[in-house]
Amino acid sequence: MKTNAATIAAPVVVRRIAKNQITVKRVLFYVALTVMAVPFILPTLWMISSSLKPIGEIFAFPPTLWSANPTLDGYVQAFELQPFVRQYFNSLYIALFVTAGTMFISSLAGYAFARIRFRGQNILFMIVLVGLLIPSEVTIVPLFQIFSGMGLINTHWPILLVSTFGAPSVLATFIMRQFFISLPIELEEAARLDGLGRFAIWWRIAMPLAKSALAAVAIFTFLAIWNLYLEPTVYLQSPELFTLPQALTRYADAYGGQLWNVQLAAATMTALPVLVVFVLAQKQFVEGLAQTGLKG
Amino acid sequence: MRSAKWLTAAGLLTTATLVLTGCSAASSDEQASDVDLRMTVWTSNEDHLAMFDSIADAYIADHPEIASITFDPLPFADYTTTLTTQVAGGKSPDLAWILENTAPDFVDSGALVPIQETLEATEGYEYDDLSDAATKLWKSDGSLVAYPFSTSPLVMFVNNDLLAEAGQPTAAELRGEGNWDWESVSAASSAVNAATGKAGFVIRDFDYTSWDNLASIWDGWGAQPWSDDGATCEFASDEMTDAFTFIHDAAFEASAMPGPGTTADFFAGESAFTVTQISRASLLAEDGFSWDLLPLPAGPAGEYSIVGQAGIGVMSQGENPEAATGFLAYFSNPENSALLAQWFPPARNSQLNAETLAAANPVLSAEQIDDVVVPGILTGVVRQGHTDSAKISQTVRASLDAMWTADADVPAVLQGVCDAVDPLL
Amino acid sequence: MASSTPVLSDRARARSGGTRPRRALTYRQRDAAAGYLFVAPQVLGVTAFVLVPLALVVYFSLHEWNVLGNKFTYVGVENFERFFTDPQIVPVMQATGVFSIGLVFFNLVIALLLAVMLNRSMAGITFFRTIFFSPVVVSLVAWTIVWGFLFQDNGGINGMLEVIGIEGPNWLREGPTAMISVIIVQVFKNVGLNMVLFLAALQGVPRELTEAATMDGANARRLFTRITIPLISPTILLTFIITIVGSLQVFAQIAVLTQGGPGISTTVLVYYLFQQAFLFGEFGYGSVLSIVLFVIVLILTVAQWQLRKRWVFYEN
């Protein structure tokens, strides 16, 4: 190869060198990307591998990525120490309920703010706008006292109600409003001439066109509720009512000592399913969230 | 515009009404035929719970007005916070276990219903059998408001195998020579750490955050965090300074005690000594290392012992205080107290003997019980408590964090603790 | 389609007009009624769960609630006085500021760097984008627990450092490194989100513009600072605001990793609020801290509006 290159004309050599330089650059580029990827991917891998280690190996030195004697002890104990199945169900049903409720409420409100003219619209919109500006941490203390007065502490109601109707759903309403504003109005006008009422227009015409925005709303609502930590910590005290994030922090022996392998096993069971869904449907995730972020 | 204002006003009104009614509707009818009782506990041990359930079942069989009695295990780490939050949330349990160092909060605030009269009036209860030392902490205006159901001495567990591996005398030998004191324990611990890489002595559950567990050391120096009346901080006293100098040296110079963030579980064979409750003996594996049990080593101020205590109180904000008091009188009667002694050393003088306690702790020898457990209970003092325990505990913890570095200025840090905690006392 | 539409409209007509012909409403009136109905759940929800609590927080801040003693008493402005004399407030505000600034800075810089690196068509780019984004979908508490595990004194990070001969600090137990650790955990958790926003913005930069600039002899750096950055400035401002408001809300990371310690070096405002209200039962003082948080967010929002007017020229 080299002898060949030496014998042929100069311009070709220059091109070859340039090409080699590009290859080197390219390799360096991939090396850089790989190095940068470490803090993003290693914790997840470490979580999965450590959850399979026997307790004695958890803090072994030098650290090993894969145990020689993998065990499922942590996973078994995760179910024995807490009602983990029940907690999984709690998280899942709360997230699904709030996601469905938010999709319904925000698409209705978003549609009305975008399309229908009615008196007081701007005032009502301002009210909703306030919901967007106030982080839920500001209202957690009064809300606790309100729900305490209603006897709803240690039930799922505060989380279900506040998340579905309160501040967290407001961003969804904004996204839906922006989406419906950008939607061509001709189809709806045709439907109106056909005599369809608003509800029918919303449900039969507008909603089918809003699938991408709805998917985005669904994804970020689900993730937000799935990750909720302050609210469950404040409102729930019984282990059988706990949500997953709360349950993860409660894996301790009888006197408060941390059980790392059990905690990591439970964390893996919490994180992995969502991660798998993400990898399978990552296009929708990334683009949906980019869209909502830009518009919200 | 108008509608928006109206909505806001209506919403405000509704919520305010709900809050007010909720706050005032604490008491409800007492004579309901279906009373459900709930007791919060911090044990989630299935054997414990099974025994509670069997006591409860026996009571329900004789008391048709009681529909059910549930024992609700809350995580130990934030037990008191969770309990308080339940009360704040209008979901107060009927009965609750209470930790000794939070006792003042509960005893003085009116959170507990006085129970002495009911207990005294209960047939066969033998109220006078309760030891004065045990009930002292649980009296408000001279009247008992919680039953001290567990009085458990802090003891020192020793791993003889690790000591032998490091060429050290066993703990029993040290004691035989009259050298059972913190200096010797610290020296042996350093030797174990140097020879085996395992940890020396571990104050269990201290973990560089739960500082009140260090009482098991500073009591040996005659130190206490605040004066007996709870009004003056004594962290900066000479005794406390010496005690903390010892602890600091042990952790950062002598490597006698594992440093912050390092976990070492005695019961997994990872440390030579540990100070903990006697009930943890159940964690010892049957075919594990060779171990021994000793009283706490002596400090410069001499020998001492400490007991952990737990009380059961009837919550005044619970729905059925009377029914709950009735059940407590049954739960703590002599027969059930003997049953519970299996795990929870009783407060009854007649049951504080090797016979009852030996049945309670099958892994302990009669000698260990006679030698360590019974004297520990009889002479032990309770860790100091204070009102506003959560706030004080957090404030001291935050100030003490400065202590846990190698170059800490011990007296200055302790003075800082007093500066921070004084306004709260 | 053509065959189904009439069926639908018949049904719709039957539902809306057929059953209650009491008074003929104009189309406009009926439409407005639908409008109120559509927005009602959201408006009522925000009223009940945001506006009413916001009003009540002022009421609660003037009271003291003794939970165990079951007493709720009016104390006037005592809780506000306490705020101005509380020796913890200055360190808490400092911790909040350091956390927010550190988080925003590293988050935006890394997000922009990653976006620029990934803004090209090469094999494997999607794979790397997936990796950088993946922490966003990992449960927050799970993510925090793993990092907490890695940051233990004898944990993975110090283990790896020791292999190459460095003795690592006791990350979560020493003042400066505890704050750094908390920031690191949060940066890598959410930087993927901002990266995707930047990527979308970069892809929106018209190719003609950059090509024209290259022809004029602009080098890569000038191209980036003079053309690209100004063009994506609306996105930078947006992510800045989202990230800074988000940084004020950090709670789970602190609660799981440090509980505000060591000392109170990682006690940020929201954690302090939680501690006072829900750990110490100081609901009145907790209400005052809620008001403080609200005022900070309000200031940031107003500042954002001002900035939008002055700083960002390229917003459509």
Side-chain angles (χ1 to χ4, degrees), chain B residues 3 7-8 11-12 15-16 19-20 23 26 81 84-85 87-89 105-106 109-111 207-209 259-263 315-317 388 390-391 394-395 397-399 401 404-405, chain C residues 36 43-44 47-48 51-53 55-56 59-60 65-72 82 88 152-154 170 173-174 258-264 267 275-276 278-283:
Chain B
S3 63
L7 284 175
T8 320
L12 200 76
T15 339
V19 172
L20 294 176
C23 286
T81 310
T84 313
T85 312
V87 177
D105 275 335
F106 286 86
S109 64
D207 203 25
Y208 292 86
T209 48
T262 309
T263 0
M315 304 297 292
S316 51
Q317 292 182 61
D388 263 345
K391 217 188 299 176
Q394 159 63 20
T395 307
R397 181 189 75 76
S399 315
D401 276 342
W404 312 126
T405 57
Chain C
Y36 290 123
V43 172
L44 290 176
T47 307
L51 297 181
V52 171
L56 282 176
Y59 174 76
F60 287 137
W65 183 17
N66 179 339
V67 170
L68 290 175
N70 199 17
K71 288 181 209 86
F72 188 74
R82 183 173 159 195
Q88 311 247 56
Q152 291 299 300
D153 199 21
N154 50 356
N170 194 352
R173 306 275 187 155
E174 287 165 21
T258 64
Q259 289 93 50
I264 51 169
T267 304
Q275 205 175 42
Q276 291 293 334
F278 298 106
L279 299 184
F280 303 162
E282 300 271 353
F283 286 92

Side-chain angles (χ1 to χ4, degrees), chain A residues 115 182-193 205 209:
Chain A
R115 282 285 195 263
S182 71
L183 208 63
I185 201 164
E186 288 76 24
L187 262 176
E188 289 174 45
E189 276 171 348
R192 207 153 89 178
L193 292 178
I205 312 289
L209 295 171

Side-chain angles (χ1 to χ4, degrees), chain B residues 33-85:
Chain B
S33 56
D34 286 325
V35 175
D36 295 300
L37 294 179
R38 187 169 69 95
M39 183 193 294
T40 52
V41 299
W42 57 73
T43 176
S44 51
N45 180 307
E46 279 174 29
D47 297 331
H48 297 181
L49 294 173
M51 167 166 292
F52 300 158
D53 281 337
S54 72
I55 295 176
D57 288 344
Y59 185 72
I60 293 172
D62 281 346
H63 292 80
E65 77 277 13
I66 308 287
S68 74
I69 300 173
T70 16
F71 298 91
D72 187 3
L74 305 179
F76 181 75
D78 42 19
Y79 176 82
T80 304
T81 310
T82 311
L83 174 60
T84 313
T85 312

Side-chain angles (χ1 to χ4, degrees), chain C:
Chain C
M1 195 66 190
S3 63
S4 71
T5 315
V7 179
L8 291 182
S9 57
D10 279 353
R11 217 188 275 162
R13 228 176 262 137
R15 207 184 291 153
S16 61
T19 48
R20 38 193 160 103
R22 236 183 272 162
R23 187 153 53 104
L25 293 169
T26 65
Y27 180 81
R28 206 170 247 281
Q29 280 171 316
R30 266 190 294 145
D31 213 32
Y36 290 123
L37 218 58
F38 277 29
V39 301
Q42 181 75 87
V43 172
L44 290 176
V46 170
T47 307
F49 299 123
V50 181
L51 297 181
V52 171
L54 204 59
L56 282 176
V57 80
V58 179
Y59 174 76
F60 287 137
S61 71
L62 301 173
H63 290 75
E64 200 53 76
W65 183 17
N66 179 339
V67 170
L68 290 175
N70 199 17
K71 288 181 209 86
F72 188 74
T73 38
Y74 176 78
V75 295
V77 293
E78 205 176 90
N79 290 316
F80 288 90
E81 283 169 10
R82 183 173 159 195
F83 174 78
F84 289 106
T85 54
D86 184 349
Q88 311 247 56
I89 281 300
V90 173
V92 164
M93 289 301 175
Q94 273 170 354
T96 311
V98 169
F99 178 81
S100 292
I101 291 167
L103 177 73
V104 170
F105 178 77
F106 287 110
N107 192 326
L108 293 197
V109 167
I110 296 176
L112 198 55
L113 179 71
L114 291 177
V116 170
M117 286 178 85
L118 293 185
N119 186 27
R120 60 194 76 197
S121 47
M122 274 167 76
I125 286 294
T126 320
F127 172 74
F128 279 106
R129 192 186 64 179
T130 309
I131 285 183
F132 292 135
F133 192 82
S134 66
V136 174
V137 301
V138 170
S139 159
L140 173 63
V141 170
W143 177 258
T144 311
I145 284 175
V146 188
W147 277 95
F149 175 56
L150 287 167
F151 274 132
Q152 291 299 300
D153 199 21
N154 50 356
I157 289 178
N158 281 352
M160 284 184 277
L161 286 175
E162 206 173 326
V163 169
I164 56 169
I166 301 172
E167 198 191 328
N170 194 352
W171 293 93
L172 300 174
R173 306 275 187 155
E174 287 165 21
T177 56
M179 180 57 93
I180 292 170
S181 309
V182 177
I183 292 175
I184 288 176
V185 174
Q186 181 63 4
V187 164
F188 289 119
K189 175 75 175 74
N190 274 343
V191 78
L193 209 53
N194 285 343
M195 175 195 78
V196 167
L197 297 182
F198 283 138
L199 254 179
L202 286 175
Q203 277 157 10
V205 174
R207 184 141 293 175
E208 312 87 65
L209 254 176
T210 52
E211 272 169 7
T214 319
M215 296 258 232
D216 291 347
N219 66 20
R221 183 186 296 173
R222 280 174 66 90
L223 184 70
F224 188 69
T225 52
R226 296 289 170 82
I227 310 271
T228 312
I229 292 279
L231 276 174
I232 63 168
S233 60
T235 307
I236 295 180
L237 178 63
L238 177 85
T239 49
F240 177 78
I241 292 297
I242 293 179
T243 313
I244 205 163
V245 173
S247 76
L248 289 173
Q249 296 172 268
V250 63
F251 172 75
Q253 297 86 323
I254 305 281
V256 173
L257 288 177
T258 64
Q259 289 93 50
I264 51 169
S265 63
T266 57
T267 304
V268 296
L269 184 54
V270 167
Y271 191 77
Y272 193 54
L273 185 163
F274 168 81
Q275 205 175 42
Q276 291 293 334
F278 298 106
L279 299 184
F280 303 162
E282 300 271 353
F283 286 92
Y285 192 47
S287 300
V288 171
L289 296 170
S290 304
I291 295 172
V292 172
L293 180 65
F294 171 65
V295 169
I296 294 176
V297 173
L298 200 67
I299 292 172
L300 281 174
T301 309
V302 173
Q304 176 209 4
W305 283 334
Q306 296 300 324
L307 272 178
R308 243 170 213 265
K309 271 188 235 159
R310 284 192 207 166
W311 186 50
V312 182
F313 305 104
Y314 296 86
E315 206 168 12
N316 43 355

Side-chain angles (χ1 to χ4, degrees), chain A residues 41-230:
Chain A
I41 191 74
L42 187 75
T44 310
L45 295 179
W46 198 273
M47 166 177 78
I48 298 168
S49 86
S50 295
S51 72
L52 294 166
K53 288 180 185 170
I55 182 83
E57 242 179 88
I58 281 259
F59 286 114
F61 179 84
T64 49
L65 194 51
W66 188 252
S67 166
N69 325 294
T71 167
L72 288 174
D73 282 359
Y75 289 83
V76 174
Q77 281 191 56
F79 289 95
E80 284 171 351
L81 294 172
Q82 287 198 77
F84 195 67
V85 176
R86 181 69 184 272
Q87 292 162 342
Y88 219 104
F89 171 77
N90 290 342
S91 259
L92 207 58
Y93 106 79
I94 290 174
L96 289 177
F97 177 94
V98 173
T99 304
T102 299
M103 287 167 77
F104 180 73
I105 289 167
S106 66
S107 57
L108 267 180
Y111 178 82
F113 282 128
R115 282 285 195 263
I116 308 177
R117 299 282 149 258
F118 48 92
R119 263 165 55 101
Q121 188 174 29
N122 289 339
I123 298 294
L124 293 178
F125 192 64
M126 283 299 283
I127 290 179
V128 176
L129 187 77
V130 172
L132 190 64
L133 298 181
I134 296 172
S136 51
E137 287 76 7
V138 169
T139 49
I140 189 88
V141 173
L143 278 173
F144 176 85
Q145 285 168 280
I146 292 170
F147 284 116
S148 156
M150 296 163 84
L152 292 179
I153 298 302
N154 209 21
T155 69
H156 288 150
W157 285 110
I159 299 170
L160 292 172
L161 289 174
V162 175
S163 304
T164 311
F165 292 97
S169 72
V170 174
L171 179 60
T173 295
F174 273 74
I175 290 164
M176 294 312 295
R177 173 177 173 269
Q178 292 302 94
F179 178 83
F180 284 124
I181 285 178
S182 71
L183 208 63
I185 201 164
E186 288 76 24
L187 262 176
E188 289 174 45
E189 276 171 348
R192 207 153 89 178
L193 292 178
D194 275 356
L196 253 68
R198 271 297 178 186
F199 188 81
I201 293 175
W202 167 77
W203 181 245
R204 313 258 172 198
I205 312 289
M207 286 295 268
L209 295 171
K211 276 186 188 136
S212 68
L214 283 168
V217 164
I219 289 171
F220 87 75
T221 308
F222 186 91
L223 284 179
I225 304 304
W226 187 255
N227 280 338
L228 222 51
Y229 185 66
L230 176 63

Side-chain angles (χ1 to χ4, degrees), chain A residues 255, chain B residues 100 152-155 157 275-281 307-309:
Chain A
Y255 298 89
Chain B
E100 84 269 36
S152 176
L154 284 173
V155 293
F157 285 94
V275 174
T276 188
Q277 305 267 346
I278 184 79
S279 52
R280 303 270 186 102
V307 288
Q309 253 202 4

